[in-house]
Amino acid sequence: MNPIRLATRSSRLALWQAERVAYLLSQAGLPSEIVPMTTIGDQVLDRSLAKIGAKGVFTEELEESLRRGETHLAVHSAKDVQSSIPDDLELLAFLEREKVNDVVLSFNEHLSLDQPGIVLGTSSTRRKAQLRRFYPGATTAEARGNLQTRLRKLEEGQYDGLVLAYAGVHRMGYEHLVRHTLPETRFVPATGQGSIAVECARGLNADLKIQIQAALDHPATHACLRAERAFLQTMEGGCSIPSFALATLDAVGALHLHAGIISLSGEEYVEDTQTAPAADAHRLGTSVADAVLGRGGREILASIREHRG
């Protein structure tokens, strides 16, 4: 058969993820070919993601290649995938999730997060807000670019530490720089953090889709992300909104979802936790979002949108 063409961003981390997908496909006897691309999120580095304003800043170019039939699958970091997928596309698989925590990297082995005036680099609106809430003495600084670019800026002294997802740090082999692992109960991660999402055109051959899903999809991760993404979609949020969501599946098949939203200042914080059977993942996500919106989340969202004009 012809190789399955995998659209991916061209950063080292994105290529690692595509290579992981290619390996799993090969284990199932499905040959593949990686097609690197550049997205608007990779090109525009002088503004925060919130100020770029476009949905799908790391996915749009890859999705267009699916529509044109130039590629068969698009490989994304699941947390970069917009909350609503266009009708002509679908999320086919989610790979088994990595450890979900945010971590702090530094060349200073004795870095203290309580150190007065500490500067922490991050490009995430959510992380900035959580740091303002839990470490009000810290200053946050914009940190765009791939992981290697950010580490170079860290080495140059632009930041005392970098706040990143453990998954990317681990995949790139930089665990030796981790000074603090932030607890996921307080620093609840973004929807999908730690997983790789695989997207395709709805019109892709049905038998091929079944084979790809069998090779790549991790059912427990998929159930968790269905709940998290339903939460995000109901909140009408995206990468630039400081919402958070983490679903976990227990040994008896019950899905627990802890999710919420935090104001840009970190002062206002609304969260909710609910449990449902894994089969009701979508309903669980919408139920938690409705609870969060009803207890002040709607006002936080309105304030954020007003702040951004």
Side-chain angles (χ1 to χ4, degrees):
M1 65 178 290
N2 292 326
I4 297 168
R5 289 171 61 82
L6 309 176
T8 176
R9 293 167 63 197
S10 55
S11 71
R12 274 182 57 193
L13 178 56
L15 289 170
W16 185 99
Q17 294 176 167
E19 287 161 5
R20 178 64 183 165
V21 169
Y23 169 77
L24 292 173
L25 290 172
S26 73
Q27 293 295 99
L30 299 169
S32 62
E33 176 185 348
I34 294 173
V35 183
M37 299 180 181
T38 302
T39 68
I40 188 173
D42 299 308
Q43 294 169 330
V44 182
L45 298 176
D46 59 346
R47 282 173 280 164
S48 67
L49 293 176
K51 289 180 179 175
I52 295 175
K55 288 186 178 180
V57 294
F58 292 120
T59 60
E60 188 173 2
E61 287 78 6
L62 280 59
E63 290 176 334
E64 284 301 316
S65 78
L66 295 176
R67 291 191 173 100
R68 292 191 297 263
E70 296 169 358
T71 58
H72 303 95
L73 302 177
V75 181
H76 310 293
S77 291
K79 66 183 177 59
D80 291 338
V81 179
Q82 62 268 41
S83 55
S84 295
I85 299 297
D87 291 339
D88 59 337
L89 304 174
E90 63 178 303
L91 291 174
L92 187 60
F94 293 103
L95 274 62
E96 184 173 4
R97 195 173 213 167
E98 181 76 75
K99 181 177 171 181
V100 300
N101 300 71
D102 287 331
V103 293
V104 181
L105 271 63
S106 180
F107 291 101
N108 176 3
E109 295 182 14
H110 306 291
L111 183 77
S112 168
L113 296 179
D114 295 315
Q115 173 185 321
I118 187 175
V119 178
L120 298 172
T122 175
S123 60
S124 162
T125 305
R126 170 191 60 84
R127 291 181 183 128
K128 290 174 186 173
Q130 289 172 328
L131 287 165
R132 287 172 187 138
R133 181 173 184 85
F134 298 116
Y135 291 100
T139 299
T140 60
E142 191 65 31
R144 292 289 317 282
N146 61 40
L147 180 54
Q148 288 71 33
T149 298
R150 298 185 203 195
L151 284 169
R152 176 178 52 77
K153 293 178 179 179
L154 176 65
E155 196 165 17
E156 290 171 353
Q158 294 188 33
Y159 326 110
D160 296 302
L162 280 173
V163 187
L164 299 164
Y166 172 81
V169 172
H170 171 64
R171 290 164 185 163
M172 290 291 95
Y174 291 112
E175 300 102 313
H176 62 287
L177 294 177
V178 173
R179 305 305 176 205
H180 299 279
T181 297
L182 301 174
E184 73 276 15
T185 50
R186 298 177 86 193
F187 285 81
V188 186
T191 291
Q193 184 161 305
S195 181
I196 298 168
V198 178
E199 186 179 23
C200 70
R202 283 200 180 274
L204 187 66
N205 179 276
D207 289 337
L208 181 58
K209 284 201 279 190
I210 291 170
Q211 293 179 70
I212 291 168
Q213 195 166 43
L216 301 178
D217 195 49
H218 187 253
T221 300
H222 202 137
C224 291
L225 265 67
R226 279 187 62 218
E228 293 173 21
R229 288 184 53 76
F231 167 82
L232 187 66
Q233 187 172 15
T234 306
M235 294 290 290
E236 297 183 355
C239 296
S240 63
I241 297 296
S243 64
F244 50 85
L246 179 60
T248 53
L249 188 66
D250 68 20
V252 296
L255 203 57
H256 308 274
L257 178 61
H258 177 198
I261 189 167
I262 184 171
S263 65
L264 296 177
S265 67
E267 294 175 4
E268 299 166 87
Y269 187 90
V270 183
E271 62 184 340
D272 191 59
T273 302
Q274 295 182 30
T275 300
D280 293 334
H282 190 275
R283 183 189 60 77
L284 174 63
T286 58
S287 178
V288 171
D290 287 340
V292 169
L293 289 169
R295 296 212 305 265
R298 190 171 282 107
E299 289 74 18
I300 292 175
L301 276 173
S303 174
I304 291 168
R305 287 167 180 148
E306 182 180 351
H307 173 80
R308 290 178 179 162

